[in-house]
Amino acid sequence: MCGIVAYIGEKQAFPILLEGLKRLEYRGYDSAGISILNGTLKTVKKKGKVSDLEAVSATIDTTGTLGIGHTRWATHGKPDDINAHPHNSGDGTISLVHNGIIENYATIKKALEDRGHVFKSQTDTEVLVHLIEEFKNQDNLDLEQAVTKALSRVVGAYAIVVVDKENPNQIVAARKSSPLVLGIGDKEFYVASDASPIIKYTKKVVYLNDEEIAIANRDGSFVVKNIHNEIQEPVIQELDLKIEQLEKGGYDHFMLKEIMEQPTTIAESMRGRINAEEGWVSLGGLEEHQQRILNAHRIIFVACGTSWHSALIAEYLIEDLARIPVEVEYASEFRYRNPILTEKDVVIAISQSGETADTLAALEIAKEKGALTYGIVNVVGSSIARVTDSGSYIHAGPEIGVASTKAFTSQLVVLILMALKLGEKKGTIPSGMLRELIYGLESVPKKVAEILEQKEKIKLIAQEIQNKPNALYLGRGLNFPVALEGALKLKEISYIHAEGYPAAEMKHGPIALIDEDMPVFIVATNVSAHEKIVSNIQEVKARKGVVIAIVNEGDNIISGLADFTFEIPYIEEPLTPLLSVIPLQLISYYISVMRGCNVDQPRNLAKSVTVE
Ligand code: M6R
């Protein structure tokens, strides 16, 4: 939700900021803007994409070695030029970019209006820059002091960068519940929402903690303090990221690149964690707290969106293989009720970004109640990775497309490893089965590659479905969450209304929707419930529904019934979601392209949801 980038140093700031905004555009693309300080404060902002901003900037003098930039996902105020960031103080000296929500902005705005402040936008952010201005002028404070004082008055979430025309040798950045990274170069500093705009220039970074303020000076010095004015010892980290990982690598879209990368990313997720020959599974973060997890009264997963679907699959696997009770919660619901939690529970957060606000808030509750917290996260150094007691990275590499694909399969790998390890330690998995599943896991990258090689066949199916207004996705057992994931992928990038349902629930309502115009995707790879899924297909066909079935290779029974069939290679049943989801990802991708949608940046969405 909103991307921030800033630069101070000896280079020209504008090209750095523009390129940074392009890298951050996945976080929001309603509008973009840049302020440059060069004697005067120049702000240019535009509704739409960073390319729209680039076009309007072409005629403006953008020279200057200090600047801030922003790409917006709108919360308060519609997407337009005025609501775009940066926002400037009334006297035009201070400029600010913000990611997050100032919850008490209305009260502050009223008080400032009473003191004569005039606001141009409908945003909560503009209130913050006026508040900083008010403290700076009224109390005769410097920028750093005024920012600190203003932040002590606001309620909500923020990552901000602020510059002041009267202090052209400094940028001030601060965070609370929204990510911010300080990049340290040679007598220069970068600030950004994530490391992607920074990596080209420096690998040395400091991830700010909540309620920390960084003051970066043109002479190369910097200070990190907290909101109570106490100096903090910054932890300088080395980034483990390559610039090529952030490029499309010859593909038309990041989503397709990320789908096609899955043989590699799946292998990366299990690298060093299994050995089929020797028959072992190892998951460092889990082993550190093994006894507590094995003895847990319950494992509670908290997550959102695709990560929530991974958690549903984990529920099936952990209960089946390790016999530990599991609950799966939408983080956004969990945080607002009064959940019963004790120190005997383990709360596992799953998140690609590691920054999802609802998931973070759910973890806070778990910590307060004394539960052990565990993070299954992709982005290294992200907030969830840092606040949890333990965890496992999924090692999928940067995921830029808003629709999550490779993160899903890598999450599944880690969750399968977790189920296997817990089952092994509990003695609930026979050793023969454990070894068979480890062998099965090792075969996944090759089998995913085989599926991807058939993408032309999937394109043909997509062609048949592309103009339908609705779609139903059905699955049983482990394939029910896969059906949910298939439906989410289709709706978010092609805007076709799609619903996922447990196949057996169809007769309790959704069957009324079925007619010759309703495509029904059936994930039918369950060996154990084959006859039942065949009956479900018969029920759809009897009502003239169009069946697209994902089946195990050689399943002539379902192939004979379905209108379209896609076969996946044989794999042990607990591992089938790793394969059955791949054709669904590709079908959604192709339909989105065929419908002329913006695949990587679907309307109204952003990659990382750092607001409630
Ligand atoms: O970064 P997270 O995994 O916490 O994100 C959760 C959801 O916002 C995310 O999965 C979202 O639903 C994706 N757009 C799905 O493709």
Side-chain angles (χ1 to χ4, degrees), residues 51 67 208 216 218 220 245 317 322 367 409 432 437 441 474 484 569 574:
S51 54
L208 291 187
R218 200 182 278 283
Q245 292 176 284
L317 292 172
K367 284 172 95 75
T409 45
L437 289 173
L441 265 177
L474 304 176
L484 290 176

Side-chain angles (χ1 to χ4, degrees), residues 304-307 350-354 356 402-404 488-489 492 609:
C304 301
T306 288
S307 299
I350 307 179
S351 175
Q352 186 286 129
S353 61
T356 300
V402 163
S404 188
L488 176 60
K489 286 293 87 87
E492 70 178 329
V609 185

Side-chain angles (χ1 to χ4, degrees), residues 12-13 35-42 61-67 163-165 168 218:
Q12 283 303 305
S35 283
I36 297 283
L37 254 188
N38 186 13
T40 58
L41 175 66
K42 234 172 268 161
D61 174 19
T62 50
T63 324
T65 53
L66 187 163
V163 293
D164 179 2
K165 196 170 96 177
R218 200 182 278 283

Side-chain angles (χ1 to χ4, degrees), residues 499-569:
E499 284 190 53
Y501 246 83
E505 277 291 303
M506 180 178 62
K507 56 188 172 295
H508 297 287
I511 198 163
L513 295 168
I514 295 173
D515 60 15
E516 60 278 8
D517 216 24
M518 174 64 92
V520 184
F521 291 86
I522 304 194
V523 193
T525 58
N526 321 53
V527 176
S528 55
H530 191 259
E531 283 172 14
K532 300 204 183 306
I533 204 100
V534 169
S535 303
N536 296 137
I537 293 173
Q538 301 275 23
E539 287 156 11
V540 174
K541 286 309 302 169
R543 283 146 190 99
K544 301 200 176 89
V546 181
V547 171
I548 307 105
I550 311 297
V551 298
N552 290 320
E553 60 190 355
D555 187 339
N556 298 327
I557 299 175
I558 295 184
S559 303
L561 289 171
D563 298 271
F564 304 96
T565 310
F566 187 86
E567 291 192 350
I568 62 165

Side-chain angles (χ1 to χ4, degrees), residues 175-191:
R175 78 153 266 176
K176 184 183 175 196
S177 306
S178 292
L180 210 55
V181 191
L182 175 72
I184 306 165
D186 183 16
K187 280 206 174 171
E188 60 179 10
F189 294 97
Y190 303 80
V191 184

Side-chain angles (χ1 to χ4, degrees), residues 235-526:
V235 181
I236 299 177
Q237 299 186 27
E238 188 87 0
L239 285 175
D240 179 20
L241 186 66
K242 292 194 188 74
I243 197 87
E244 308 83 73
Q245 292 176 284
L246 305 169
E247 313 280 356
K248 282 191 200 145
Y251 287 96
D252 288 343
H253 300 98
F254 279 111
M255 183 180 178
L256 184 59
K257 177 192 172 217
E258 287 156 8
I259 291 173
M260 299 306 287
E261 274 175 353
Q262 287 176 108
T264 309
T265 52
I266 289 172
E268 280 299 302
S269 314
M270 57 179 101
R271 192 152 64 91
R273 290 170 164 172
I274 53 170
N275 186 316
E277 287 294 303
E278 295 167 16
W280 56 257
V281 182
S282 167
L283 203 56
L286 180 75
E287 282 151 24
E288 278 170 37
H289 298 270
Q290 196 163 279
Q291 274 321 312
R292 195 155 166 204
I293 302 175
L294 285 171
N295 297 328
H297 285 182
R298 289 174 309 167
I299 292 177
I300 300 161
F301 283 96
V302 289
C304 301
T306 288
S307 299
W308 186 78
H309 298 154
S310 300
L312 284 180
I313 293 174
E315 180 179 28
Y316 283 90
L317 292 172
I318 294 176
E319 291 202 339
D320 184 29
L321 300 176
R323 309 304 295 152
I324 300 173
V326 175
E327 286 174 24
V328 178
E329 301 267 0
Y330 281 117
S332 52
E333 288 298 317
F334 182 81
R335 63 178 292 192
Y336 289 116
R337 54 189 179 78
N338 188 7
I340 299 170
L341 269 177
T342 72
E343 63 283 357
K344 298 277 187 204
D345 294 319
V346 174
V347 174
I348 303 182
I350 307 179
S351 175
Q352 186 286 129
S353 61
E355 300 294 347
T356 300
D358 286 323
T359 310
L360 267 165
L363 279 173
E364 288 305 324
I365 295 171
K367 284 172 95 75
E368 270 165 35
K369 307 254 177 172
L372 178 78
T373 56
Y374 197 98
I376 295 181
V377 168
N378 191 30
V379 178
V380 175
S382 57
S383 299
I384 291 178
R386 287 183 294 141
V387 302
T388 38
D389 297 310
S390 187
S392 305
Y393 284 118
I394 63 169
H395 299 302
E399 190 181 68
I400 312 282
V402 163
S404 188
T405 53
K406 63 176 182 172
F408 179 70
T409 45
S410 288
Q411 287 167 349
L412 290 187
V413 168
V414 169
L415 292 163
I416 291 166
L417 297 180
M418 186 173 253
L420 293 180
K421 186 78 205 171
L422 292 172
E424 180 200 10
K425 287 291 158 194
K426 278 215 133 180
T428 45
I429 305 184
S431 64
M433 184 181 180
L434 177 67
R435 192 171 281 246
E436 205 178 300
L437 289 173
I438 300 174
Y439 269 115
L441 265 177
E442 280 195 344
S443 74
V444 171
K446 189 167 159 281
K447 289 176 178 168
V448 169
E450 282 169 30
I451 296 173
L452 293 171
E453 275 163 23
Q454 299 178 63
K455 61 182 194 312
E456 290 306 315
K457 184 172 178 196
I458 294 171
K459 208 187 256 181
L460 292 179
I461 301 177
Q463 248 153 15
E464 299 291 329
I465 312 297
Q466 58 170 312
N467 293 320
K468 303 284 184 192
N470 300 291
L472 205 54
Y473 285 72
L474 304 176
R476 301 182 81 106
L478 285 167
N479 280 327
F480 159 52
V482 176
L484 290 176
E485 176 60 9
L488 176 60
K489 286 293 87 87
L490 186 69
K491 73 182 109 177
E492 70 178 329
I493 59 169
S494 73
Y495 318 140
I496 294 175
H497 166 240
E499 284 190 53
Y501 246 83
E505 277 291 303
M506 180 178 62
K507 56 188 172 295
H508 297 287
I511 198 163
L513 295 168
I514 295 173
D515 60 15
E516 60 278 8
D517 216 24
M518 174 64 92
V520 184
F521 291 86
I522 304 194
V523 193
T525 58
N526 321 53

